[in-house]
Coordinates of all heavy atoms in Angstrom, one line a residue:
V1 N 66.1 27.3 -35.9 CA 66.4 26.1 -35.1 C 65.6 24.9 -35.6 O 64.4 25.0 -35.6 CB 66.2 26.3 -33.6 CG1 66.6 25.1 -32.8 CG2 66.9 27.6 -33.1
I2 N 66.3 23.9 -36.1 CA 65.6 22.7 -36.7 C 66.1 21.4 -36.0 O 67.3 21.2 -35.9 CB 65.9 22.7 -38.2 CG1 65.3 23.9 -38.9 CG2 65.3 21.4 -38.8 CD1 65.6 24.0 -40.4
A3 N 65.2 20.6 -35.7 CA 65.5 19.3 -35.0 C 64.9 18.1 -35.7 O 63.7 18.2 -36.0 CB 65.2 19.3 -33.6
N4 N 65.6 17.1 -36.0 CA 65.1 15.9 -36.6 C 64.2 15.1 -35.6 O 63.2 14.6 -35.9 CB 66.2 14.9 -37.1 CG 66.8 15.4 -38.4 OD1 67.9 15.1 -38.7 ND2 66.1 16.2 -39.2
D5 N 64.8 15.0 -34.3 CA 64.1 14.3 -33.3 C 63.7 12.9 -33.7 O 62.7 12.3 -33.3 CB 62.8 15.1 -32.9 CG 62.4 14.9 -31.4 OD1 63.0 14.0 -30.8 OD2 61.7 15.7 -30.9
L6 N 64.6 12.2 -34.4 CA 64.4 10.9 -34.8 C 64.3 9.9 -33.7 O 63.5 8.9 -33.7 CB 65.5 10.4 -35.8 CG 65.4 10.9 -37.2 CD1 66.6 10.4 -38.0 CD2 64.1 10.4 -37.9
C7 N 65.1 10.1 -32.6 CA 65.0 9.3 -31.4 C 65.6 10.1 -30.3 O 66.0 11.3 -30.5 CB 65.8 8.0 -31.6 SG 67.6 8.3 -31.9
N8 N 65.6 9.5 -29.1 CA 66.3 10.2 -28.0 C 67.2 9.2 -27.3 O 66.8 8.1 -26.9 CB 65.2 10.6 -26.9 CG 65.8 11.1 -25.7 OD1 66.6 12.1 -25.7 ND2 65.6 10.5 -24.6
T9 N 68.5 9.6 -27.3 CA 69.5 8.7 -26.7 C 69.5 8.9 -25.2 O 69.6 10.0 -24.7 CB 70.9 9.1 -27.2 OG1 71.0 8.9 -28.6 CG2 72.0 8.2 -26.5
T10 N 69.3 7.8 -24.5 CA 69.2 7.9 -23.0 C 70.5 8.4 -22.5 O 71.6 7.9 -22.9 CB 68.9 6.4 -22.5 OG1 67.7 6.0 -23.0 CG2 68.8 6.5 -20.9
G11 N 70.4 9.3 -21.5 CA 71.6 9.9 -20.9 C 72.3 11.0 -21.7 O 73.3 11.6 -21.3
S12 N 71.7 11.4 -22.8 CA 72.2 12.6 -23.6 C 71.8 13.9 -22.9 O 71.0 13.9 -22.0 CB 71.6 12.5 -25.0 OG 70.2 12.7 -25.0
P13 N 72.5 15.0 -23.2 CA 72.2 16.3 -22.5 C 70.8 16.7 -22.5 O 70.3 17.3 -21.6 CB 73.1 17.3 -23.3 CG 74.2 16.4 -23.9 CD 73.6 15.1 -24.2
V14 N 70.0 16.4 -23.6 CA 68.6 16.7 -23.6 C 67.8 15.4 -23.6 O 67.5 14.9 -24.7 CB 68.2 17.6 -24.9 CG1 66.8 18.0 -24.8 CG2 69.1 18.8 -25.0
D15 N 67.6 14.9 -22.5 CA 67.0 13.5 -22.3 C 65.7 13.6 -21.6 O 65.5 13.5 -20.4 CB 68.0 12.7 -21.5 CG 67.5 11.2 -21.4 OD1 66.6 10.8 -22.1 OD2 68.1 10.5 -20.5
Q16 N 64.7 13.8 -22.4 CA 63.3 13.9 -21.9 C 62.3 13.4 -22.9 O 61.2 13.9 -23.1 CB 62.9 15.4 -21.5 CG 63.3 16.4 -22.6 CD 63.4 17.8 -22.0 OE1 63.3 18.0 -20.8 NE2 63.5 18.8 -22.9
G17 N 62.8 12.3 -23.6 CA 62.0 11.7 -24.7 C 62.1 12.6 -25.9 O 63.0 13.4 -26.1
R18 N 61.2 12.3 -26.9 CA 61.3 13.0 -28.1 C 60.6 14.4 -28.0 O 59.6 14.7 -28.5 CB 60.6 12.3 -29.2 CG 61.3 11.0 -29.6 CD 60.8 10.3 -30.8 NE 60.7 11.2 -31.9 CZ 59.6 11.5 -32.6 NH1 58.5 10.9 -32.3 NH2 59.6 12.3 -33.7
L19 N 61.3 15.3 -27.2 CA 60.8 16.6 -26.8 C 61.9 17.6 -26.8 O 62.9 17.4 -26.2 CB 60.1 16.5 -25.5 CG 59.6 17.8 -24.9 CD1 58.4 18.3 -25.7 CD2 59.2 17.7 -23.4
S20 N 61.7 18.7 -27.6 CA 62.6 19.8 -27.5 C 61.9 21.0 -26.8 O 60.7 21.0 -26.7 CB 63.0 20.3 -29.0 OG 63.7 19.3 -29.6
T21 N 62.8 21.8 -26.2 CA 62.2 22.8 -25.3 C 62.7 24.2 -25.6 O 63.9 24.4 -26.0 CB 62.5 22.5 -23.8 OG1 63.9 22.4 -23.7 CG2 61.8 21.2 -23.4
L22 N 61.8 25.2 -25.4 CA 62.2 26.6 -25.4 C 61.8 27.2 -24.0 O 60.7 27.3 -23.7 CB 61.4 27.4 -26.5 CG 61.6 27.0 -27.9 CD1 60.6 27.7 -28.9 CD2 63.0 27.2 -28.4
T23 N 62.9 27.4 -23.2 CA 62.6 27.7 -21.8 C 63.2 29.0 -21.4 O 63.2 29.4 -20.2 CB 63.1 26.6 -20.9 OG1 64.5 26.5 -21.0 CG2 62.4 25.3 -21.2
G24 N 63.9 29.7 -22.3 CA 64.6 30.9 -21.9 C 63.8 32.2 -21.9 O 62.6 32.2 -22.1
T25 N 64.5 33.3 -21.8 CA 63.9 34.6 -21.8 C 64.4 35.5 -23.0 O 64.2 36.7 -23.0 CB 64.1 35.3 -20.5 OG1 65.5 35.5 -20.2 CG2 63.5 34.6 -19.3
G26 N 65.2 34.8 -23.9 CA 65.7 35.6 -25.0 C 64.8 35.6 -26.1 O 63.6 35.9 -26.0
G27 N 65.3 35.4 -27.3 CA 64.4 35.5 -28.5 C 65.0 34.8 -29.7 O 66.2 34.6 -29.8
I28 N 64.1 34.4 -30.6 CA 64.5 33.9 -31.9 C 63.8 34.7 -33.0 O 62.6 34.8 -33.0 CB 64.1 32.4 -32.1 CG1 64.8 31.5 -31.0 CG2 64.5 31.9 -33.5 CD1 64.3 30.1 -31.0

């Protein structure tokens, strides 16, 4: 899983600033 995170579009599905999250119980 790779993210550029160049910016964060306000109102987008993952809208918490320039932050990506791993919150599940599965695995990579």
